[in-house]
Amino acid sequence: MKAPKNLTMLMFAASFGVVASVTGQRAFAQGIDSTVKKIGHKTASIAVKGTSAVTDKIYKGKEGPNGQTVYIDKKDRKFIVDEKGKKVYLKPSQIHNKVQKEK
């Protein structure tokens, strides 16, 4: 089932609102720069992963170099989402089978 395009815009707007509201408090505390960056990166990462899960395919049974979920875009390119919310396209040698955990 395809999600409406408004969902991705809503997710982006919500993440932007959270980051904007946190950065507005910058003048009230010292050392908030690193916290704001961490929150911004985490928000961006969650937004991109959510969007990718809706619009792109998940590469079943495969994982990235550090166990990340691998997505396939419309042009059949494989990528992961890093901790800053950026898409990192992978070479075929960087993708491997998921390791099954023993019970």
Side-chain angles (χ1 to χ4, degrees):
M1 181 172 110
K2 284 268 187 184
K5 291 184 180 182
N6 293 339
L7 178 66
T8 57
M9 291 188 298
L10 177 66
M11 289 174 51
F12 179 77
S15 64
F16 183 77
V18 168
V19 172
S21 67
V22 171
T23 56
Q25 300 172 2
R26 176 185 247 170
F28 298 108
Q30 291 182 345
I32 194 137
D33 287 339
S34 63
T35 304
V36 171
K37 286 181 183 179
K38 287 178 186 176
I39 292 171
H41 291 321
K42 187 67 173 177
T43 304
S45 178
I46 291 171
V48 172
K49 286 179 182 178
T51 304
S52 296
V54 172
T55 59
D56 300 318
K57 296 179 189 174
I58 294 177
Y59 201 174
K60 304 264 186 211
K62 301 289 183 176
E63 61 185 9
N66 296 319
Q68 305 97 326
T69 302
V70 178
Y71 301 97
I72 305 172
D73 66 4
K74 294 176 185 176
K75 296 181 181 179
D76 202 37
R77 297 181 293 183
K78 283 78 174 173
F79 67 92
I80 59 171
V81 179
D82 70 0
E83 65 277 351
K84 293 183 179 181
K86 295 182 181 179
K87 291 181 180 181
V88 179
Y89 291 95
L90 302 173
K91 298 175 187 174
S93 61
Q94 295 175 304
I95 301 171
H96 52 82
N97 293 328
K98 279 190 178 181
V99 177
Q100 297 294 328
K101 294 182 181 179
E102 295 182 26
K103 292 184 180 180

